[in-house]
């Protein structure tokens, strides 16, 4: 039997691979490394792989724009699950390199951002070299790349590559974490768990005072809490923005379904990117008057009025 194929940001040893392994049994999938997020998601759209695991948000930089923008445009994709992993780095170098010898450090741009203050304090003046991934930077260093003397690597990777660890626990925030999502082609939405998240992209109807408030009221009026909202520039209308949103709840819940209907009625573009179990597992708080039972009772009441029952 053919194993499902999962694309991830490679090479082997990345935090994204660790997220993939936290989501699935490695013996039951074929892991396919990709050079970047765009390539991983394109492989899903093209049918070359079944799923992709990509970073979507971290506690230092916020949303991963490459993921948000690629999900929002092109053939439909949906998020099917998520996992949150703690993130810290090791500063690694070739054997014999002292930390005083380091004049340039390589890492993925998000890795550099998550260690910006640490690098400024411990390696002032060192040049930051962007790589396709933290694992790729460490791999290139181990293979003799020039242009940088050290790399920020996931814990344990440097030792596997024969590099020395110059510093461990490298991070600006000891509690830094990154959220990763499993992405696939559209399919039937999984049943609600009571601890779910729905991801959307919404374009406002026009650029005017109050337009964003009116969009947000579609959620507020139905007791739907937003855990994330970020503006992203619209490529078709310079100076205007769309909004990437995580809402707590599931499309099968009446409050979420009615919020989506309200958005659809009042905004020109609403892109549904999936309802899926939230990584926290915490039950979604329900505002009084917005439970499934409340909506059912209200619909029955209106139907009764139509039938002459008051």
């Amino acid at each position: 039997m053919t194993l499902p194929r999962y694309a991830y940001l490679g090479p082997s040893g990345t935090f994204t691979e660790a997220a993939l392994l936290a989501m699935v049994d490695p013996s039951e999938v074929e892991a396919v490394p990709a050079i970047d997020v765009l390539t991983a998601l394109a492989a899903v759209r093209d049918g070359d792989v079944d799923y992709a695991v990509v970073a979507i948000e971290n506690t230092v930089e916020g949303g991963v724009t490459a993921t948000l923008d690629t999900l929002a445009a092109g053939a439909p994709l949906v998020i099917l699950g998520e996992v949150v992993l703690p993130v810290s780095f090791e500063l690694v170098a070739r054997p014999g390199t002292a930390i005083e010898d380091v004049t340039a450090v390589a890492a993925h741009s998000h890795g550099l951002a998550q260690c910006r203050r640490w690098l400024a304090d411990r390696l002032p003046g060192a040049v930051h070299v962007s790589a396709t991934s933290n694992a790729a930077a460490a791999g290139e260093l181990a293979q003799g790349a020039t242009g940088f003397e050290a790399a920020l690597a996931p814990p344990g990777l440097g030792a596997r590559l024969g590099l020395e660890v110059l510093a461990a626990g490298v991070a600006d925030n000891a509690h830094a974490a990154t959220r990763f999502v499993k992405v696939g082609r559209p399919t039937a939405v999984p049943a609600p768990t009571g601890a779910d998240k729905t991801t959307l992209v919404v374009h406002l109807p026009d650029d005017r005072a109050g337009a964003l408030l009116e969009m947000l009221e579609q959620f507020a009026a139905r007791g739907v809490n937003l855990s994330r909202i970020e503006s992203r520039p619209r490529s078709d209308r310079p100076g205007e923005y769309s909004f990437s949103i995580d809402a707590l709840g599931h499309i099968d819940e009446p409050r979420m379904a009615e919020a989506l209907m309200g958005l659809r009625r009042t905004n020109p573009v609403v892109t549904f990117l999936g309802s899926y179990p939230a990584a926290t597992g915490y039950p979604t708080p329900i505002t009084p008057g917005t439970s499934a039972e409340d909506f059912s009772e209200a619909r029955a009441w209106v139907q009764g009025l139509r039938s002459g029952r008051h």
Side-chain angles (χ1 to χ4, degrees):
M1 184 176 66
T2 303
L3 297 176
R5 306 184 80 223
Y6 281 71
Y8 71 95
L9 177 64
S12 180
T14 61
F15 288 110
T16 309
E17 184 186 38
L20 167 60
L21 298 178
M23 288 181 168
V24 301
D25 182 336
S27 67
E28 297 180 353
V29 304
E30 180 184 350
V32 181
I35 194 170
D36 55 26
V37 166
L38 278 70
T39 303
L41 294 177
V44 181
R45 285 192 165 110
D46 294 341
D48 296 329
V49 300
D50 301 289
Y51 307 103
V53 174
V54 293
I56 195 169
E57 181 184 15
N58 67 65
T59 54
V60 176
E61 289 289 281
V64 178
T65 56
T67 299
L68 297 178
D69 294 347
T70 307
L71 286 174
L77 293 173
V78 292
I79 298 171
L80 302 169
E82 66 175 11
V83 66
V84 177
L85 296 183
V87 172
S88 67
F89 300 85
E90 291 177 342
L91 183 70
V92 299
R94 286 188 286 266
T97 304
I99 196 167
E100 294 79 13
D101 300 329
V102 176
T103 63
V105 179
H108 189 274
S109 58
H110 277 268
L112 292 168
Q114 289 175 299
C115 302
R116 188 180 294 119
R117 291 196 303 274
W118 190 97
L119 292 170
D121 180 58
R122 298 291 299 276
L123 295 172
V127 175
H128 296 177
V129 179
S130 183
T132 56
S133 73
N134 302 303
E140 291 171 13
L141 189 66
Q143 292 168 14
T146 59
F148 53 94
E149 298 84 17
L152 295 174
L157 179 60
R160 298 208 305 270
L161 295 173
L163 301 171
E164 290 186 353
V165 177
L166 302 183
V170 176
D172 290 349
N173 178 357
H175 305 290
T178 297
R179 176 178 158 231
F180 299 86
V181 292
K182 172 185 172 181
V183 177
R185 293 179 290 278
T187 185
V189 177
T193 67
D196 301 288
K197 189 177 289 183
T198 294
T199 299
L200 309 163
V201 175
V202 180
H203 292 192
L204 299 183
D206 45 39
D207 185 18
R208 59 177 173 78
L212 175 58
L213 175 61
E214 290 174 7
M215 185 268 282
L216 295 176
E217 284 176 340
Q218 299 296 333
F219 297 102
R222 297 166 178 89
V224 176
N225 186 37
L226 304 186
S227 61
R228 181 185 62 86
I229 178 169
E230 299 183 51
S231 62
R232 298 297 305 143
R234 288 180 55 175
S235 59
D236 60 331
R237 296 172 69 172
E240 297 187 22
Y241 295 81
S242 64
F243 292 87
S244 176
I245 297 168
D246 288 336
L248 298 184
H250 191 282
I251 192 172
D252 280 353
E253 298 175 89
R255 61 197 183 89
M256 182 65 75
E258 292 211 4
L260 292 175
M261 287 189 284
L263 292 170
R264 176 70 175 179
R265 288 187 295 100
T266 56
N267 295 275
V269 175
V270 179
T271 304
F272 174 74
L273 291 176
S275 287
Y276 50 93
T280 62
Y282 298 141
T284 304
I286 305 298
T287 302
T290 65
S291 69
E293 293 77 15
D294 292 324
F295 276 93
S296 178
E297 190 278 332
R299 282 194 297 269
W301 176 71
V302 170
Q303 186 58 43
L305 296 177
R306 290 171 177 157
S307 302
R309 299 190 305 272
H310 290 263

